[in-house]
Amino acid sequence: MTRGFTLLELMATVANMAIIAGIAVPSFMTVIENNRAQTQANTFFTSLVADRSQAVKRNQPIVLCKSTDGQSWARGFSVWT
């Protein structure tokens, strides 16, 4: 009785794994992109809630600017009274 596997069996297994990985990777990338977008939305919402809380606490209006240089959301946003 021999134990182990042949080179042909190993090649077939590796080929099957490559096919399955090729199918799974694109859907996993979609999940990653959706998680990044959700994280950004949650961060923005949390900031809005904190800013509103400060406005109520200080009884002053709060101004939300789309960025520190006023050019793009990619650089963030700033808040001041």
Side-chain angles (χ1 to χ4, degrees):
M1 177 176 196
T2 60
R3 293 182 182 232
F5 47 89
T6 65
L7 182 59
L8 183 61
E9 292 170 332
L10 177 64
M11 289 172 52
T13 303
V14 170
N16 285 337
M17 289 176 63
I19 292 170
I20 292 171
I23 293 170
V25 168
S27 20
F28 187 66
M29 294 304 291
T30 303
V31 169
I32 290 173
E33 289 172 2
N34 289 342
N35 284 342
R36 286 180 183 163
Q38 187 65 42
T39 299
Q40 292 295 321
N42 288 341
T43 301
F44 181 68
F45 179 73
T46 302
S47 296
L48 287 178
V49 170
D51 297 339
R52 182 182 182 278
S53 174
Q54 285 297 315
V56 170
K57 179 180 173 183
R58 296 176 184 192
N59 196 23
Q60 293 179 343
I62 298 287
V63 177
L64 177 67
C65 179
K66 68 178 177 176
S67 69
T68 55
D69 63 356
Q71 297 300 315
S72 70
W73 279 105
R75 296 189 183 122
F77 50 92
S78 59
V79 179
W80 67 88
T81 57

